[in-house]
Amino acid sequence: MNIEQFKQEVIAYSKEIGIDKIGFTSANMFEELKQRLITQQELGYQSGFEEPDIEKRVTPVKLLPKASSIISIALAYPSKMKNAPKSTREDRRGIFCRASWGQDYHTILRDRLSKLESFLKEKVPDIQVKSMVDTGELSDRAVAERAGIGWSGKNCSIITPEFGSYVYLGEMITNFPFPPDTPMEDQCGSCRKCLDVCPTGALVQGGQLDSTKCIAFLTQTKGFLADEYRTKIGNRIYGCDTCQTVCPVNKGKDFHFHEEMEPDPEIAKPKLKPLLTMSNREFKEKFGHISGAWRGKKPLQRNAILALAHFKDTTALPELIKLMHEDPRPVIRGTAAWAIGKIGGNDVAEELHQAYEKEMDEDVKKEIKKGLAFVEEK
């Protein structure tokens, strides 16, 4: 078999099944990445969602013993929403980040990788493959960078010349010796827009992220959000796009190649108040198919409460007061109390005092006190 010719066949087939970009690299160890990951671990910059074993993250042969090459794929997703609904004074809206628009990208990329696997097995029956998307051991970005999909930007995203950083990534380790592609030169140059506008300073320096400060990570946490970040979240329900939207390479990049990635405006920009009282069943029916639902409804409800405080939405006070008094979850009761104080208004001090008197949870009592402090300042 002519290996280079087979590689071209794989590239041609990938286009047929809706893979927007494909690259190939060796299955050698990711030496540079290993050092970076050790540094991240030592500095406490990891989110905790990663594979904890660094050796597995940088050594493909630990995942597929006869690994010879890795195929990296990228699919472009939309950056603009058609018919985006407007937030009104009566009906404030939150926003999901672009990577959570449409169907869960894990499902979409697994479908493409599965088709690619079948093609490879048909052509090379004894081929061995192992595919992964996002939750696998390897770093999608490190593989994509080495496979020439794009360069690793200062915003810690892979930036492609064609689609900017609005791409989903996945990869497949194989024992077939595909010739590697050439990595791309870094094209960020002296630009530091993403570093300058990061709302929490999570981008420590170009290419280094303190995940524990990143809004995308913070919106996925389940406990009380640290005070210093509550006013930084704005109306974000899940994720953050700031370091992508300011990137000059992303200017004008908006691709609508995949029907399943198209956002439903009522899901991608949902009304905030209905989110507060949604049952588990209603939540699954409305949001269950998107990637932003993976942590369940509690973090998203907490974020919706913070968004209502951000808007100082007095129309939401009845719902928030009800949550503070009746919700069984301390994080929701406490965040509601904080938001009530932040919004202010007639009689809220009385409601906060009443809640304090009957509250048994010490963390919630602290939040009620913060709410009262806001009211007294006004």
Side-chain angles (χ1 to χ4, degrees):
M1 177 184 275
N2 181 319
I3 293 176
E4 184 54 51
Q5 190 181 329
F6 182 48
K7 178 180 170 180
Q8 293 309 314
E9 283 179 38
V10 172
I11 293 169
Y13 178 71
S14 76
K15 302 284 177 252
E16 283 175 33
I17 59 169
I19 290 171
D20 299 320
K21 194 162 188 187
I22 189 166
F24 300 77
T25 185
S26 75
N28 296 346
M29 192 172 175
F30 288 84
E31 293 283 0
E32 260 184 66
L33 175 65
K34 183 176 180 179
Q35 201 42 60
R36 284 212 308 273
L37 293 176
I38 290 167
T39 303
Q40 288 290 93
Q41 209 170 57
E42 286 169 353
L43 292 168
Y45 284 175
Q46 292 182 315
S47 71
F49 295 146
E50 311 91 346
E51 160 63 48
D53 186 336
I54 286 178
E55 288 302 324
K56 279 187 184 172
R57 296 195 70 195
V58 299
T59 322
V61 291
K62 281 190 176 285
L63 310 174
L64 188 77
K66 292 185 177 170
S68 174
S69 63
I70 311 173
I71 303 172
S72 175
I73 68 165
L75 272 71
Y77 59 84
S79 70
K80 290 186 172 58
M81 194 188 307
K82 295 165 187 166
N83 307 315
K86 295 276 188 284
S87 206
T88 66
R89 195 181 288 273
E90 287 296 312
D91 271 315
R92 297 294 188 179
R93 291 177 180 268
I95 184 79
F96 280 82
C97 68
R98 289 160 175 79
S100 185
W101 290 359
Q103 191 182 325
D104 187 338
Y105 65 91
H106 299 85
T107 311
I108 299 171
L109 268 77
R110 282 187 196 120
D111 167 72
R112 304 304 193 272
L113 287 164
S114 173
K115 285 174 178 160
L116 200 56
E117 281 181 15
S118 299
F119 177 81
L120 292 174
K121 285 172 181 171
E122 193 184 302
K123 302 284 183 182
V124 186
D126 60 345
I127 197 168
Q128 293 172 6
V129 295
K130 181 178 171 65
S131 296
M132 57 195 79
V133 179
D134 185 40
T135 54
E137 295 88 347
L138 294 183
S139 161
D140 301 336
R141 284 179 296 155
V143 174
E145 182 182 15
R146 202 163 81 181
I149 294 285
W151 71 94
S152 192
K154 287 180 183 168
N155 63 0
C156 297
S157 296
I158 287 296
I159 304 176
T160 69
E162 307 91 335
F163 315 114
S165 61
Y166 297 126
V167 287
Y168 297 127
L169 303 170
E171 61 274 341
M172 183 192 301
I173 311 171
T174 161
N175 64 342
F176 191 87
F178 285 107
D181 291 320
T182 310
M184 241 174 242
E185 288 291 312
D186 181 299
Q187 291 172 44
C188 287
S190 59
C191 176
R192 47 172 293 125
K193 284 187 176 177
C194 57
L195 297 171
D196 294 338
V197 304
C198 177
T200 58
L203 285 167
V204 181
Q205 57 181 343
Q208 186 176 41
L209 177 76
D210 180 351
S211 297
T212 64
K213 288 183 178 176
C214 176
I215 285 179
F217 163 74
L218 293 168
T219 57
Q220 299 175 59
T221 57
K222 288 193 170 181
F224 284 106
L225 206 59
D227 289 12
E228 65 201 278
Y229 302 129
R230 292 183 193 184
T231 53
K232 303 273 173 74
I233 278 198
N235 70 329
R236 298 177 186 89
I237 299 296
Y238 179 89
C240 179
D241 282 323
T242 301
C243 65
Q244 294 202 96
T245 52
V246 299
C247 176
V249 184
N250 281 339
K251 197 170 182 196
K253 300 275 196 293
D254 177 35
F255 297 93
H256 298 260
F257 297 152
H258 310 280
E259 184 59 41
E260 63 267 58
M261 292 181 190
E262 289 303 319
D264 174 338
E266 289 299 324
I267 292 172
K269 275 192 82 178
K271 290 179 180 178
L272 292 168
K273 286 187 286 192
L275 253 177
L276 303 182
T277 52
M278 202 170 258
S279 69
N280 286 334
R281 188 175 170 182
E282 288 168 334
F283 178 77
K284 277 183 185 151
E285 279 173 7
K286 183 163 185 176
F287 298 104
H289 65 288
I290 65 170
S291 60
W294 81 283
R295 293 285 278 170
K297 72 174 183 174
K298 187 170 89 170
L300 308 188
Q301 286 178 320
R302 178 205 62 192
N303 301 339
I305 293 168
L306 294 171
L308 289 164
H310 161 75
F311 286 124
K312 293 208 168 12
D313 187 350
T314 53
T315 71
L317 283 171
E319 282 103 324
L320 293 171
I321 288 166
K322 196 170 187 325
L323 288 179
M324 174 178 68
H325 287 307
E326 297 175 15
D327 199 280
R329 300 161 297 174
V331 168
I332 298 297
R333 288 201 307 279
T335 306
W338 181 90
I340 290 162
K342 199 84 177 147
I343 295 166
N346 298 332
D347 306 326
V348 298
E350 172 120 8
E351 294 288 354
L352 287 162
H353 280 299
Q354 280 178 21
Y356 188 85
E357 289 307 315
K358 62 176 186 162
E359 183 56 63
M360 306 296 285
D361 188 291
E362 285 306 317
D363 288 331
V364 179
K365 288 179 108 161
K366 281 182 197 160
E367 296 299 326
I368 298 171
K369 275 186 171 173
K370 288 176 197 171
L372 282 165
F374 290 138
V375 175
E376 279 154 21
E377 279 170 19
K378 287 171 182 160

